[in-house]
Amino acid sequence: MQLAPPSDSFPNQRLWQLAQARISFQCHLLTYLFMNAGLWVMWAALPSPPGTAGLLPWPVWPTVFWGIGLVQQGIRTYAWPYFRGQTQREYERLLAQEQTRQRGV
């Protein structure tokens, strides 16, 4: 459920969306930890089927693939805003260089 931001101004809107993304990631992280802990406890508590000695435990697969998705979400949530800011700063630097060059010509 998306909540409305406290105001319509652009900086507050951006910060509100960032806060929502971070809270969403934190909720998904807790869900991942609790669910996978439950899967591993279930695996440890149940008897192994015959002929499965030496094979990877079945909870490995949901833990790994769900974890990959969670890492991707974490990167989008925490790293992308940083890179977006870097891109803006680089653009402003290049724009200033171009304006300086045009004044000199």
Side-chain angles (χ1 to χ4, degrees):
M1 180 173 100
Q2 298 267 341
L3 297 175
S7 72
D8 291 334
S9 66
F10 178 74
N12 289 340
Q13 177 75 17
R14 184 181 53 79
L15 293 177
W16 182 259
Q17 290 173 345
L18 183 59
Q20 282 185 320
R22 287 182 177 184
I23 295 301
S24 176
F25 172 73
Q26 292 166 7
C27 289
H28 290 158
L29 178 62
L30 282 175
T31 302
Y32 171 81
L33 293 173
F34 286 123
M35 291 298 294
N36 278 287
L39 292 174
W40 282 98
V41 167
M42 187 182 343
W43 172 79
L46 294 175
S48 297
T52 59
L55 297 177
L56 286 175
W58 61 264
V60 163
W61 305 115
T63 301
V64 166
F65 291 111
W66 192 353
I68 290 170
L70 193 63
V71 165
Q72 289 174 339
Q73 182 184 9
I75 289 170
R76 280 191 316 269
T77 301
Y78 288 97
W80 264 208
Y82 169 77
F83 289 119
R84 193 175 311 133
Q86 290 292 95
T87 303
Q88 179 67 30
R89 284 187 287 281
E90 180 64 15
Y91 171 76
E92 290 168 359
R93 186 184 69 76
L94 291 171
L95 187 61
Q97 282 179 350
E98 182 66 23
Q99 289 171 349
T100 303
R101 189 170 32 153
Q102 286 178 356
R103 278 186 231 131
V105 172

